[in-house]
Amino acid sequence: MEKSSAVKKEDQDNWHISTWVHRAWFAAGCATVIFATVKSISLTSSLAAETSSPRLWFKTLSSAFLGYVAADLATGIYHWAIDNYGSAKTPFFGAQIEAFQSHHQQPWAITRRQLANNLYIAAAAVTAVFLPLNVFMTDPFNLAFAATFAGCIMFSQQFHAWAHMPKGKMPPAVAALQNAGVLVGRGPHATHHRAPYNNNYCIVSGVWNRFLDETKFWLAAEMMLEKISGARPRSWGETSPEWAQIASEPELE
């Protein structure tokens, strides 16, 4: 019993520490993104040399930009779904649902997670989905889209963590990117953590947030799901204790 308690306490103390499994998945995710990027550049270079058309580079860069924009929307859809539906007992997604609910209670905690610890789940998903696609894809434009999309998805939780980090602790380059709107900013994301917790779901750049919120996209999706399945989102109910922040950020030792 004492040994079991000691192991449990160690797990609680090390919740933010990266393990070798976390690092392995993170490395695999990075390799997947780098592979797609290098392959896209190589194929574009070959095609540009064959056709003497520099416009191919513009098309590749445009595809990469679309991947970045699409990733922001994808993180919003996933974030909305996880926040509003299912529970800790939901198959496959239960741990993520519980983690996101815990994040609402202690939003500062994400800034304490080490990099691989914070990103390994997304990295594992990116590896499983995109590595096989990258191997067989031969279109440089699709590869450019895939590389940027996958990279932004994988690092979205780090962008999210920076959106909760005090400016004084944030790398200056990150603060500059947030101010430029390239990465989701602290101010805009803070509104997501205020009742009724039903807006600003996108966490790459947040470029989609204003459009999705002002057009009531999420409400329309929720009404459609309720009509089809009877499921009601958590954001429709009164603010409940599991959504409220329960503690302020403790001082670092």
Side-chain angles (χ1 to χ4, degrees), residues 234-248:
R234 278 184 278 273
S235 61
W236 284 13
E238 295 182 4
T239 302
S240 52
E242 59 264 26
W243 284 102
Q245 185 171 333
I246 60 174
S248 59

Side-chain angles (χ1 to χ4, degrees), residues 13-245:
D13 291 341
N14 295 333
W15 61 269
H16 61 299
I17 302 296
S18 297
T19 67
W20 285 109
V21 172
H22 298 162
R23 295 186 183 100
W25 277 120
F26 178 62
C30 288
T32 298
V33 173
I34 292 170
F35 174 69
T37 302
V38 171
K39 189 174 180 181
S40 175
I41 292 171
S42 176
L43 290 171
T44 301
S45 181
S46 297
L47 284 173
E50 291 173 8
T51 61
S52 300
S53 175
R55 293 182 180 179
L56 290 173
W57 287 107
F58 176 76
K59 192 173 179 180
T60 297
L61 291 173
S62 297
S63 298
F65 178 74
L66 288 176
Y68 159 74
V69 174
D72 189 55
L73 177 60
T75 61
I77 293 171
Y78 186 78
H79 191 177
W80 162 77
I82 291 293
D83 267 8
N84 284 287
Y85 299 98
S87 68
K89 296 180 180 179
T90 299
F92 191 72
F93 296 103
Q96 281 271 285
I97 293 168
E98 187 175 31
F100 270 65
Q101 193 170 79
S102 175
H103 172 63
H104 276 269
Q105 295 174 335
Q106 297 179 326
W108 49 265
I110 192 174
T111 67
R112 301 292 178 82
R113 290 186 178 277
Q114 293 183 347
L115 185 65
N117 176 287
N118 195 24
L119 303 186
Y120 81 96
I121 294 176
V126 160
T127 303
V129 173
F130 286 95
L131 185 57
L133 291 176
N134 293 344
V135 168
F136 292 104
M137 275 197 293
T138 57
D139 186 300
F141 316 122
N142 288 340
L143 281 162
F145 177 94
T148 311
F149 182 88
C152 288
I153 291 294
M154 187 172 73
F155 280 92
S156 63
Q157 275 294 82
Q158 186 58 45
F159 305 154
H160 186 189
W162 284 329
H164 285 283
M165 189 175 290
K167 270 194 173 182
K169 298 179 181 179
M170 195 182 303
V174 172
L177 290 172
Q178 288 182 345
N179 292 336
V182 176
L183 297 181
V184 64
R186 295 169 68 253
H189 183 67
T191 62
H192 175 71
H193 286 269
R194 292 195 288 266
Y197 312 100
N198 64 356
N199 55 52
N200 286 275
Y201 289 107
C202 302
I203 55 173
V204 173
S205 66
V207 68
W208 283 95
N209 282 328
R210 183 174 180 180
F211 171 78
L212 295 172
D213 295 341
E214 290 185 353
T215 60
K216 307 295 184 184
F217 174 85
W218 304 118
L219 179 60
E222 289 159 3
M223 292 175 68
M224 182 180 69
L225 280 176
E226 186 198 27
K227 187 173 183 179
I228 293 172
S229 66
R232 291 174 61 86
R234 278 184 278 273
S235 61
W236 284 13
E238 295 182 4
T239 302
S240 52
E242 59 264 26
W243 284 102
Q245 185 171 333

